[in-house]
Amino acid sequence: QIQLIESGGGLVQPGGSRSLACVATESIASIYDMGWYCRASGPSREMVAAITVSNATTYADFVRGRFTISKDNVANTLYLDMYDLEPEDTGVYYCQAKNRLQLHTTWGQGTQVTVSA
């Protein structure tokens, strides 16, 4: 079963930047649509950005123009580049892999991003 390992979280001042990475244990080139979700509070996770196997991207309204999602199919790694961060961006960021063939979703363990002065 595919596993996802996130990294790159930490404390960032408002207006700063941060890059997150998600390494998958198997190929994400052809059958996995990928995404980043954030849990700001409570149990629910909100979609931040997503990218398909064909590199089509989708962004939540509150991050569009500030965040960029990308992937490296050779390194099996998903990225989230975050710019002009705001305190409201604070939360645990989770990597998601959706298997297009098996209809199965896998989540990473999450990485904490805190935006504060």
Side-chain angles (χ1 to χ4, degrees):
Q1 183 66 41
I2 188 172
Q3 292 180 273
L4 306 171
I5 303 94
E6 301 102 327
S7 63
L11 178 63
V12 190
Q13 66 181 16
S17 303
R18 198 79 176 184
S19 295
L20 308 181
C22 169
V23 179
T25 58
E26 63 184 66
S27 175
I28 61 172
S30 60
I31 65 172
Y32 288 102
D33 290 330
M34 308 293 294
W36 288 98
Y37 285 67
C38 180
R39 179 170 58 82
S41 63
S44 62
R45 288 176 279 205
E46 184 176 8
M47 195 274 287
V48 174
I51 185 168
T52 69
V53 295
S54 58
N55 287 327
T57 58
T58 303
Y59 295 95
D61 288 342
F62 60 91
V63 306
R64 187 175 295 109
R66 299 189 297 119
F67 291 10
T68 300
I69 188 171
S70 63
K71 63 175 182 175
D72 184 336
N73 288 335
V74 175
N76 295 327
T77 303
L78 179 74
Y79 301 96
L80 184 67
D81 297 316
M82 305 180 291
Y83 305 93
D84 194 23
L85 284 160
E86 305 169 354
E88 292 75 19
D89 297 319
T90 295
V92 180
Y93 283 74
Y94 296 88
C95 177
Q96 181 200 65
K98 297 178 66 176
N99 191 310
R100 295 167 63 96
L101 302 180
Q102 299 181 7
L103 304 179
H104 180 73
T105 299
T106 300
W107 296 93
Q109 82 286 351
T111 184
Q112 175 73 42
V113 176
T114 301
V115 185
S116 176

